[in-house]
Amino acid sequence: MSRCATVSRDLDEPIAGTAATARTWLLVEQPGPWGAQALTMSHLDPALGRALEKAAEGTGVRIALIRRPGRHADFGPSAVRQVYAAHTTPGDVWLHSATTCDPEQLLDLDFAALGEGDPRTFDTVLQGRPHTGDPLALVCTNGKRDRCCALLGRPLAAELAASGVEGAWEVTHLGGHRFSPTLLVLPYGYAYGRAQAPHVKEILQGVREGRLEVEGCRGGSAWERPGQAAELAVRSAVHEYAMDALSVEHTDGSAPHWEVTVAHTDGRRWSVAVTQGASLPPRPESCGSALGSPARLDVVAVRELESAAPPR
């Protein structure tokens, strides 16, 4: 049986506008096995997992479990866990890190504030601090959600770690199994599909320099999916790759047609027409699923808007 990622690649399915959406990511280290719904199907207390899901609901915060590449030996409840919080909205991007021996502390976080870009409760509750190390390269490896994530993601995560990428972690779910190996890079929150180790290293070097690598990019998680596709289209049209240069100002319309306004920090603005269609021929959205026609986003026009006249 063909894997969903192989079929998607062979059909050259476009990946722009397919990233998971989250203004803020909260990442919690949890070694050991992960189930399909990792927060409640791992060695993390499932009652805590359910409480965290409820606390994050509607706040713009997305919670995921992480573990270091390699063997997934578990540890006891008193062991030190790494925790990260990252806010991905351009102009207010940050990544803070902390450790805890008691993951119940996470329930004391102000999730609404985190979603809005305020890290103070993270720093107060967990003694967090700005992350000063390498950018994070989070590779989805959760085979319980889709076998492609394990078969393709785990070797990539292991290769990155073995080659000295200190920010390499396995993560529970980034969506888009058929684009495996999938990758999320923090602090900026851009996701990638069909990732390979040499390209990932180029992506991470770009992050260090504040530059976005557009090839293979699925979009920035700060935006809804039409905005993701629109932002990438503007970048390609005007050759603008500085990480914080563009933002999605607003999105008008609803499926299958949107008009997205993308703004540059220098005052330029563009109107981007995005349409939603069905991917043909039919293909599986994940391994073992029936054939279907996944939604795809296409940018049909990018038009620069006239700048407002300066005041006299």
Side-chain angles (χ1 to χ4, degrees), residues 101-240:
C101 294
D102 179 13
E104 294 277 348
Q105 286 185 299
L106 299 172
L107 293 176
D108 294 328
L109 297 175
D110 184 335
F111 283 84
L114 284 175
E116 292 299 322
D118 183 347
R120 285 178 294 181
T121 62
F122 183 87
D123 293 347
T124 300
V125 171
L126 300 173
Q127 286 73 60
R129 58 204 177 279
H131 176 69
T132 57
D134 286 345
L136 304 186
L138 305 158
V139 182
C140 182
T141 62
N142 191 347
K144 294 297 184 181
R145 294 195 68 95
D146 191 280
R147 61 177 177 159
C148 283
C149 297
L151 293 173
L152 300 175
R154 289 196 66 192
L156 173 61
E159 183 177 355
L160 292 174
S163 66
V165 177
E166 294 183 3
W169 291 87
E170 297 185 10
V171 67
T172 46
H173 183 47
L174 299 177
H177 318 299
R178 64 191 184 280
F179 306 125
S180 295
T182 59
L183 172 80
L184 176 70
V185 179
L186 294 176
Y188 291 98
Y190 284 93
Y192 290 82
R194 303 173 187 143
Q196 301 299 318
H199 187 219
V200 173
K201 292 178 182 178
E202 293 177 7
I203 292 167
L204 295 175
Q205 183 57 37
V207 173
R208 296 184 190 99
E209 298 170 1
R211 171 178 47 82
L212 178 67
E213 186 73 28
V214 171
E215 181 183 352
C217 189
R218 299 174 62 194
S221 72
W223 317 124
E224 297 296 327
R225 290 180 175 180
Q228 296 173 10
E231 186 219 358
L232 291 175
V234 171
R235 287 186 179 278
S236 295
V238 303
H239 308 291
E240 176 57 82

Side-chain angles (χ1 to χ4, degrees), residues 28-34 65-72 141-143 154 157 168-172:
V28 184
E29 185 177 6
Q30 178 57 61
W34 296 334
L65 302 183
I66 57 174
R67 62 191 177 197
R68 284 297 190 184
R71 294 185 62 191
H72 299 147
T141 62
N142 191 347
R154 289 196 66 192
W169 291 87
E170 297 185 10
V171 67
T172 46

Side-chain angles (χ1 to χ4, degrees), residues 1-4 6-7 147 284 286-289:
M1 181 185 295
S2 295
R3 297 198 296 260
C4 66
T6 303
V7 174
R147 61 177 177 159
S286 59
C287 289
S289 69

